[in-house]
Amino acid sequence: MNLMCPARILLLPGDVQNPAVGERVAQVYAGPFEAAAGSRLAEHLGVRLTVVPELTEHPDAELEAIADLHRGETVVVLGLDLGLKLPAVVEHTGDGWTRVASDNELTLAAYDQAAEKFRDTIPKDANHDLIDLLAARITPGGRVLELGSGTGRDAIELERRGYLVRRTDASRAFVEMMRADGYAADELNALSDEYGGPYDAVFASAVFLHFDRAQLADVLRRSARTAPLLAFATREGKGEEWSSRHLDLPRHFVLWQEGPLRDLLAASGWTVEQLVRTESKIGTWFQVLARRS
């Protein structure tokens, strides 16, 4: 433990069910009303739960005490929001509590700043390999929820083939871009917003690679509650990386090996029907079609 570093406090809703916790957690704290959820979470993470009766009565003082006890570590606190949209990571500084941007939020910020440049530099063609996999399983007229529509190029091709597409993206800049092009589009964060539906399929090309492994597990479970089919593309490789390719701004990427990806899909309620490798200038992609188990 590094005593010079501040504690990172992950604030989660008091009714949290299957949280996307992508880092090592030292301990879980909860107030009396969140004790049951805290117990389940602590057991899931394999750490100790401490119930703090004063947490709701004196939140700032109790959070400071927790932060002092866990310098250099990450802990979870249930049921306090500090006026923030949860989940949120905060650190205590000399000026009070500061929200810490996640890797995914930093990536979204890059897209928001340079959406037009991204459209100008990426290939213009839709992901026909992935669309072909989906088209073999659902007939025209099927309703498709697209997560991370981006510039909208895949949605255009899906609609050309006869599907009804709901365009969504967590980047406001991409949503405004699609609307300016004459299409309906919704701002939807796959990590925190409701998906709606039901749909015949969830489609996500080059989106899941921005989620850490715990976040992707959560998105897969959400998708399984939304549609019986899932079509997505993500990159093959090891570890994680930051890249300024296309935008000259940093974006975070999580790479996958086939075995762990299949295992995660199975654990999240999916059975892989097809997994195809395709090549691009930046490496190998998995094109995956899965059905709800």
Side-chain angles (χ1 to χ4, degrees):
M1 181 174 68
N2 187 344
L3 296 178
M4 299 300 293
C5 294
R8 289 166 56 87
I9 297 183
L10 175 56
L11 302 174
L12 293 177
D15 59 352
V16 65
Q17 291 299 316
N18 294 305
V21 180
E23 53 192 302
R24 183 181 178 86
V25 170
Q27 197 167 335
V28 174
Y29 290 88
F33 295 108
E34 291 76 34
S39 179
R40 292 192 297 270
L41 179 58
E43 182 178 0
H44 173 72
L45 297 174
V47 299
R48 185 162 63 95
L49 166 69
T50 297
V51 177
V52 184
E54 299 84 2
L55 197 56
T56 53
E57 300 171 12
H58 309 288
D60 284 336
E62 292 302 323
L63 282 180
E64 285 188 39
I66 292 170
D68 287 340
L69 186 62
H70 292 280
R71 291 185 180 276
E73 297 178 325
T74 297
V75 296
V76 171
V77 175
L78 294 185
L80 295 181
D81 59 21
L82 298 182
L84 302 172
K85 182 179 180 180
L86 302 185
V89 176
V90 297
E91 292 180 350
H92 192 269
T93 65
D95 298 323
W97 295 101
T98 301
R99 191 178 188 280
V100 180
S102 68
D103 292 341
N104 184 260
E105 289 169 336
L106 292 172
T107 298
L108 281 177
Y111 282 124
D112 278 334
Q113 292 177 61
E116 288 292 346
K117 181 172 184 178
F118 183 75
R119 174 155 67 175
D120 291 341
T121 56
I122 63 170
K124 305 305 182 205
D125 289 341
N127 186 346
H128 291 276
D129 294 306
L130 186 60
I131 294 173
D132 287 345
L133 292 181
L134 183 62
R137 289 287 278 110
I138 62 170
T139 57
R143 299 180 67 234
V144 177
L145 169 65
E146 184 180 23
L147 299 176
S149 298
T151 63
R153 61 181 184 177
D154 290 316
I156 292 173
E157 175 62 18
L158 285 163
E159 288 178 337
R160 190 191 69 79
R161 298 194 190 198
Y163 300 109
L164 306 175
V165 183
R166 181 189 176 197
R167 293 166 168 82
T168 73
D169 206 285
S171 164
R172 181 179 294 274
F174 280 140
V175 171
E176 292 175 350
M177 175 187 292
M178 289 184 283
R179 289 174 178 172
D181 289 341
Y183 300 102
D186 297 321
E187 191 171 342
L188 186 150
N189 189 314
L191 299 176
S192 57
D193 294 332
E194 295 297 324
Y195 292 3
Y199 300 92
D200 296 298
V202 172
F203 183 94
S205 179
V207 178
F208 289 177
L209 75 177
H210 292 314
F211 302 143
D212 68 33
R213 299 179 201 283
Q215 289 171 337
L216 181 54
D218 184 49
V219 169
L220 291 173
R221 287 190 292 264
R222 288 168 174 261
S223 298
R225 295 193 294 268
T226 302
L229 287 175
L230 170 66
F232 72 95
T234 196
R235 280 180 56 200
E236 183 176 22
K238 295 181 179 179
E240 304 177 15
E241 66 181 28
W242 286 90
S243 173
S244 297
R245 181 178 52 252
H246 294 310
L247 297 187
D248 294 331
L249 291 169
R251 291 178 295 151
H252 186 245
F253 296 90
V254 178
L255 310 180
W256 284 91
Q257 295 287 289
E258 180 176 347
L261 182 59
R262 286 180 176 273
D263 290 344
L264 180 62
L265 283 160
S268 303
W270 295 100
T271 298
V272 175
E273 288 203 344
Q274 288 185 267
L275 186 151
V276 178
R277 285 178 170 84
T278 58
E279 298 297 327
S280 73
K281 293 180 179 179
I282 61 173
T284 303
W285 291 80
F286 293 126
Q287 313 286 341
V288 181
L289 179 71
R291 61 175 170 81
R292 188 164 56 199
S293 300

